[in-house]
Amino acid sequence: MRDLYQRLSLSPEASEHDIQNAVLRCPNSALRQDAESVLTVNEHRAAYDTLHHTLNDIGCLRARLGLTHGAHWQGDVANDFSLPPDHAISRHDELVDRVSSAVSLYNRWQRWRGPWLLVAMFATGAGIGIVMGFALCMGLAAG
Amino acid sequence: MSMARFSPFELVLLNSRSQVDTATLLLLAWVLVHRQHVSEGQRRRRLAQVTAQFRHGHELSPVMSIAYSQDLQAIQLAAEILRKECSQERSLSVLHQAITVATDDGDLSLANHYILRFLADLLNVTPTTLSTLFYELTGRPLASPEDPSRDAYWQQHNPGYFSQKAREAAAEQQARDEAAQQAHQKNQQREQKKQRKQQEKQRQQEEAQARQERERQQRDEQNRERAQQDRSRYERAQGERRQWQRTSPPPDRSTRALAVLGLPPGASRSDIRLAYRRMAQLHHPDRFFTESEHQVALASARFQRIKNAYDYLMQTY
């Protein structure tokens, strides 16, 4: 399985017109024949695109997990679908970080719950008093 | 500290009693999603069947929907957990489950070829182990995946399209042939007409030329007579030397050619041939190939001169 889009320097979302042009301009006759029978026929292209998408996913996963030189990743597939490592942080570490920060937030809330509740009650009372006083003033002025 | 919300799979993981089991569940669901010709209900039942003794303790449907959406980050997380927390025996059993899930009815889809190999690499399983395991489970060797980026794959899997294309091409070719034949016939007719026209024109031209020729001959004769009279007068006045120069070709060229061959003027044809043979043997560049390149170049120049002289003499003598 080769990445025909990459070999024809196209994007996977290229229109039929672009593909036709690229196929006609391709100097390698074998590649031209393959691209013609795969990419210019709609049903062939759909099947090819599905597998192409899956292989792109696998290439991305392998790059992030450090498996780009595995024993099962060889030949055309490895040549065309291996990505450079993108220094994405390990998902598991990220999950652990997020859980620990959520836990510390929860603990802090539990510790400061009493004072925060007092402050909140005072603020709500003051707000309600201000609104009522404002309404009374407006009523007096209207009357 | 990242402020993003927890993704669905992370929530499932946090709810799970066994993270490894949940991760395995997602990867098996991923394999199942890439199996062809299976309905969604069948997939779910198959997954429940295979993972009957797992200890995850949550619903299967959220995991299945994550697998359907092909969430790359979730799959990466599952793969990391699996790699981190899997023993050697456990990894073999995971691979075993993946192979059974991928090939219940026989055919391994192309995507699953690559997914199984990815899982094998992830779990540190060597290719020989994977192929033995595959052979034991399915009774067939693990072949290398077919290549849908090639013409041959589609020739084999969709011969209808190619036969139709061939038929269309044949029809087009036939139409083109017929058109070409018609054009050819038309061309022939046009050419015949043209030829007839040309012949007429030629005849007319020839007549005109003949007339002109006759006129010119008459004029030439008059001119020549006049010129001869002039020249005889002129020659008488100028003397004989000028007339000798005007006559071509100059005779000294053949004497020079004879000198090149080392012959006196007035040598016979057989003498010339003999002299040429001797000179050619003497000065042929192949005699000098052991010497320097410069010598060979000089010899070939000499040989060329001799050959030119001989050719000239053979033409004129």
Side-chain angles (χ1 to χ4, degrees), chain B residues 10 24 27 32 43 52 75 78 99 101 115 123 129 166 169 171 173 199 210 216 219-220 259 271 277 306 314:
Chain B
E10 285 169 340
T24 313
L27 291 175
L32 263 179
R43 283 195 181 116
I75 291 168
I99 292 173
V101 155
I115 291 176
L123 298 168
T129 317
Q173 182 67 32
Q199 281 172 355
R216 208 188 326 150
R219 228 181 301 138
D220 278 356
D271 280 346
R277 296 246 170 91
I306 290 161
M314 283 294 114

Side-chain angles (χ1 to χ4, degrees), chain B residues 73-88:
Chain B
Q73 298 195 340
I75 291 168
Q76 190 190 338
L77 180 53
E80 279 170 14
I81 290 172
L82 203 62
R83 183 163 61 169
K84 204 169 281 184
E85 308 194 0
C86 243
S87 64
Q88 189 65 33

Side-chain angles (χ1 to χ4, degrees), chain B residues 2-274:
Chain B
S2 57
M3 293 306 289
R5 288 201 291 177
F6 289 97
S7 68
F9 183 63
E10 285 169 340
L11 291 177
V12 171
L13 263 185
L14 292 176
N15 284 331
S16 161
R17 275 189 229 138
S18 160
Q19 289 201 333
V20 193
D21 282 351
T22 309
T24 313
L25 206 61
L26 180 68
L27 291 175
L28 290 179
W30 188 37
V31 171
L32 263 179
V33 163
H34 284 100
R35 235 180 88 181
Q36 285 158 340
H37 319 300
V38 187
S39 76
E40 194 178 342
Q42 280 175 316
R43 283 195 181 116
R44 188 163 301 170
R45 248 172 284 136
R46 187 79 187 95
L47 188 63
Q49 206 180 339
V50 168
T51 62
Q53 71 270 37
F54 278 19
R55 296 177 294 109
H56 48 78
H58 56 74
E59 292 285 307
L60 285 185
S61 48
V63 175
M64 211 58 199
S65 65
I66 293 164
Y68 266 112
S69 67
Q70 311 253 2
D71 184 358
L72 206 59
Q73 298 195 340
I75 291 168
Q76 190 190 338
L77 180 53
E80 279 170 14
I81 290 172
L82 203 62
R83 183 163 61 169
K84 204 169 281 184
E85 308 194 0
C86 243
S87 64
Q88 189 65 33
E89 297 87 49
R90 182 71 207 268
S91 67
L92 276 182
S93 87
V94 168
L95 212 58
H96 179 190
Q97 281 158 346
I99 292 173
T100 45
V101 155
T103 62
D104 271 334
D105 53 349
D107 282 346
L108 191 61
S109 76
L110 283 173
N112 273 339
H113 264 288
Y114 294 108
I115 291 176
L116 279 185
R117 286 177 164 83
F118 166 71
L119 290 179
D121 266 344
L122 183 75
L123 298 168
N124 263 330
V125 174
T126 57
T128 45
T129 317
L130 178 68
S131 52
T132 359
L133 194 60
F134 190 88
Y135 186 73
E136 279 170 8
L137 286 174
T138 61
R140 270 166 306 154
L142 178 64
S144 55
E146 288 172 299
D147 190 348
S149 71
R150 293 194 187 274
D151 191 36
Y153 174 88
W154 293 107
Q155 297 270 14
Q156 191 190 341
H157 284 78
N158 194 0
Y161 167 75
F162 286 97
S163 61
Q164 196 188 342
K165 203 169 139 190
R167 245 178 285 132
E168 281 173 11
E172 208 171 283
Q173 182 67 32
Q174 207 176 350
R176 218 180 300 142
D177 283 351
E178 282 175 10
Q181 249 176 359
Q182 285 183 350
H184 187 64
Q185 284 179 351
K186 227 179 263 176
N187 264 352
Q188 271 186 341
Q189 289 177 354
R190 213 180 299 149
E191 252 168 54
Q192 283 176 354
K193 227 182 267 175
K194 213 191 276 174
Q195 273 183 351
R196 247 175 278 137
K197 230 182 258 176
Q198 264 185 350
Q199 281 172 355
E200 279 180 27
K201 210 186 271 177
Q202 228 170 0
R203 220 178 301 134
Q204 288 178 354
Q205 276 184 347
E206 275 169 12
E207 284 174 13
Q209 271 183 350
R211 225 178 299 133
Q212 281 182 349
E213 194 82 358
R214 252 173 279 134
E215 287 173 12
R216 208 188 326 150
Q217 276 179 359
Q218 289 176 356
R219 228 181 301 138
D220 278 356
E221 274 175 29
Q222 292 172 359
N223 280 354
R224 218 174 297 148
E225 279 172 19
R226 216 178 299 148
Q228 260 180 356
Q229 289 170 0
D230 285 354
R231 206 187 299 152
S232 54
R233 240 178 285 144
Y234 184 74
E235 277 166 13
R236 253 176 271 132
Q238 288 285 322
E240 282 189 356
R241 201 173 141 267
R242 284 295 290 274
Q243 199 204 358
W244 185 81
Q245 268 193 343
R246 210 183 298 149
T247 53
S248 64
D252 62 345
R253 179 155 183 203
S254 46
T255 51
R256 261 188 289 139
L258 284 170
V260 166
L261 291 176
L263 291 169
S268 71
R269 213 175 150 83
S270 58
D271 280 346
I272 292 172
R273 190 168 293 138
L274 217 71

Side-chain angles (χ1 to χ4, degrees), chain A residues 1-4 7 30 33-38 40-41 43-45 47-48 50-51 53-58 60-62 64-67 69-73 76-77 88-95 97-99 101-102 104-105, chain B residues 1-7 10 13-14 19 30 34 70 72-77 79-81 83-85 110-111 114-115 117-122 125-128 130 142 145-152 154-155 158 161-162 165:
Chain A
M1 174 78 181
R2 297 160 304 162
D3 189 351
L4 292 178
R7 292 190 182 212
Q33 193 192 355
D34 287 345
E36 199 176 0
S37 62
V38 176
T40 57
V41 186
E43 50 178 317
H44 298 182
R45 191 186 170 192
Y48 176 80
T50 320
L51 187 58
H53 182 243
T54 310
L55 278 174
N56 260 335
D57 283 358
I58 290 178
C60 187
L61 282 177
R62 279 179 179 271
R64 288 186 187 166
L65 293 166
L67 295 175
H69 295 279
H72 294 278
W73 187 244
D76 285 334
V77 194
I89 185 175
S90 157
R91 290 280 143 201
H92 189 253
D93 294 352
E94 198 187 324
L95 176 65
D97 276 358
R98 223 181 282 171
V99 168
S101 72
S104 69
L105 259 180
Chain B
M1 180 173 123
S2 57
M3 293 306 289
R5 288 201 291 177
F6 289 97
S7 68
E10 285 169 340
L13 263 185
L14 292 176
Q19 289 201 333
W30 188 37
H34 284 100
Q70 311 253 2
L72 206 59
Q73 298 195 340
I75 291 168
Q76 190 190 338
L77 180 53
E80 279 170 14
I81 290 172
R83 183 163 61 169
K84 204 169 281 184
E85 308 194 0
L110 283 173
Y114 294 108
I115 291 176
R117 286 177 164 83
F118 166 71
L119 290 179
D121 266 344
L122 183 75
V125 174
T126 57
T128 45
L130 178 68
L142 178 64
E146 288 172 299
D147 190 348
S149 71
R150 293 194 187 274
D151 191 36
W154 293 107
Q155 297 270 14
N158 194 0
Y161 167 75
F162 286 97
K165 203 169 139 190

